Amino acid sequence: MKYPDIDKYADMDSPIHRIEPRIKVISFGILIVSAVFAGSIRAASLFLILSVLILIISRLPLRFILGRVKIICVFLVPILLLMPLTVPGTPIFTVGFMILSKEGLDFAVLVSVRSVAAIILVITMLGTQRFDTTLKALSMLYVPGIIIQMLLFTYRYIYVMIDEFMNIWCSMQAKGYRFRFNSHGLSMIGNLIGMLLIKSYERAERVYQAMIGKGYTGKPVSFSSFKITGTDYLFCSAAIVAVTGIYIINPGLL
């Protein structure tokens, strides 16, 4: 069973891995927000180049990154196909009643480049440190505890849900079930999802009571020691300078 471990390579060693978690969250946060609000294709492309450079420095395996970026690309395909046809503007190609506009194509490319740049930055940030360390850094940056707990439990129970799903699925197949795309097949999938939700709810109740019994307080616990060094300040400063430089080159950034 392959699990979607976002921090699978957190124990590697690279300049990005060694950045203090709080500084890393702040620096990457600045870059991600700036990339998302890039106002032109040129600005978004610069952020994409910057994100790839940081990714190369982090030494994360290319297969690990591509496996997660391709999921985002699936959602970008409809945007690339529909935006040029639905946004009015200068026609560059016409087939019957369908008009492909330049403005729509530019907007679709802009959204796609922004998205890829932002997701590469997010994966690089989360992939270069343990997830519990990221949560502790967010807690020390005064992110509300309820948000941190939601992130913690969502990440933790992705694996539990996968295990439960596979157990039910294997049980169905052992009884002779083979999926067919018809009303019976869809009905069985609906039953499977319902059973999965009930099992998850019951497990959540048991785990919650067990955690309360063990003194759970809602505060993330990590054994990682945090210490900000001059290199950390240098990285954060470089991120701010890079965003400022891109903004100067492209005044319509924000």
Side-chain angles (χ1 to χ4, degrees):
M1 172 63 67
K2 292 183 178 179
Y3 293 107
D5 295 320
I6 192 65
D7 56 356
K8 184 177 181 180
Y9 297 99
D11 295 331
M12 291 177 60
D13 185 29
S14 76
I16 304 299
H17 283 77
R18 290 193 292 270
I19 297 172
E20 201 269 348
R22 289 169 295 178
I23 296 295
K24 187 184 294 184
V25 169
I26 294 173
S27 304
F28 276 83
I30 293 171
L31 292 172
I32 292 167
V33 172
S34 302
V36 168
F37 287 98
S40 66
I41 295 177
R42 188 171 66 167
S45 300
L46 290 174
F47 278 112
L48 179 60
I49 293 171
L50 182 62
S51 64
V52 172
L53 287 176
I54 295 174
L55 173 62
I56 293 173
I57 295 172
S58 73
R59 300 173 188 167
L60 290 173
L62 185 61
R63 181 181 298 179
F64 172 76
I65 300 298
L66 292 179
R68 283 143 184 84
V69 171
K70 70 180 181 183
I71 299 173
I72 302 301
C73 292
V74 171
F75 294 97
L76 294 177
V77 171
I79 295 176
L80 286 169
L81 294 176
L82 295 177
M83 282 294 177
L85 299 174
T86 55
V87 174
T90 307
I92 56 176
F93 189 74
T94 303
V95 178
F97 64 91
M98 294 191 299
I99 300 174
L100 192 148
S101 69
K102 180 179 181 303
E103 287 76 4
L105 182 61
D106 289 345
F107 188 68
V109 172
L110 174 61
V111 171
S112 301
V113 176
R114 281 176 177 174
S115 303
V116 174
I119 196 62
I120 289 177
L121 289 168
V122 170
I123 294 172
T124 306
M125 180 185 71
L126 296 177
T128 52
Q129 62 188 8
R130 289 174 54 87
F131 194 70
D132 61 319
T133 302
T134 301
L135 295 181
K136 183 179 179 182
L138 291 173
S139 177
M140 296 177 72
L141 292 172
Y142 301 104
V143 173
I146 186 67
I147 295 178
I148 294 175
Q149 292 183 59
M150 289 173 62
L151 292 173
L152 172 64
F153 289 120
T154 300
Y155 183 73
R156 171 67 182 87
Y157 283 94
I158 285 175
Y159 304 98
V160 177
M161 295 282 283
I162 291 175
D163 285 340
E164 289 285 1
F165 175 83
M166 291 309 301
N167 288 337
I168 299 173
W169 183 254
C170 290
S171 176
M172 291 171 63
Q173 288 189 319
K175 294 175 181 175
Y177 171 75
R178 297 292 182 271
F179 177 71
R180 297 287 187 275
F181 193 77
N182 51 31
S183 59
H184 176 70
L186 295 176
S187 173
M188 293 300 293
I189 293 297
N191 292 336
L192 187 155
I193 295 173
M195 194 180 303
L196 186 64
L197 291 175
I198 293 173
K199 281 180 170 289
S200 301
Y201 176 78
E202 292 176 346
R203 181 186 287 269
E205 285 289 322
R206 293 197 302 271
V207 171
Y208 175 72
Q209 295 300 331
M211 292 173 64
I212 294 297
K214 293 178 180 178
Y216 175 69
T217 61
K219 295 182 179 179
V221 178
S222 173
F223 296 102
S224 302
S225 58
F226 292 179
K227 183 180 179 181
I228 300 176
T229 64
T231 306
D232 301 319
Y233 287 117
L234 184 63
F235 178 80
C236 187
S237 301
I240 295 173
V241 169
V243 171
T244 306
I246 296 175
Y247 176 76
I248 292 174
I249 297 173
N250 304 273
L253 174 62
L254 298 175

